[in-house]
Amino acid sequence: MLISTVIPAYNYAKTLRRAVMSVVRQMNFDEHELLVIDDGSTDETPLLIENLRKELPQDIRFIRQSNAGLASVRNLGIRPTSGPCLVLLAAAADLLPPAPPPPGAPI
């Protein structure tokens, strides 16, 4: 089973890399997916996302939309997820280990 992590971001260039890397370090790409949604940032967030795209070989999805607010960006991030489990992570937060186990896995 798949665990989907969605990170909405609006002007979080200073902390977004840390948030993304906190998820990537724990990901097993057979059981996890990561989506980063930029809500029309006006700071360096788009540049940071472009650099992460080049740097990270993993299949991480990045989506950019015009600024529409937190609820909209969360919904945009949730729609394309594949997993039955969802983690919404703030762009200024870290996903602390351990990441949630796949559903049905022993705890």
Side-chain angles (χ1 to χ4, degrees), residues 42-104:
T42 58
D43 67 353
E44 298 298 314
T45 298
L47 178 61
L48 172 68
I49 288 173
E50 189 58 38
N51 289 337
L52 286 170
R53 277 187 180 170
K54 293 174 186 174
E55 176 184 331
L56 298 172
Q58 295 89 350
D59 184 25
I60 298 170
R61 290 185 275 172
F62 296 95
I63 300 172
R64 181 170 167 84
Q65 72 171 17
S66 297
N67 183 263
L70 185 56
S72 173
V73 77
R74 282 184 179 160
N75 287 334
L76 180 64
I78 291 168
R79 276 187 219 113
T81 60
S82 308
C85 295
L86 177 67
V87 176
L88 292 171
L89 183 67
D94 291 348
L95 183 64
L96 299 176

Side-chain angles (χ1 to χ4, degrees), residues 2 83 104:
L2 197 62

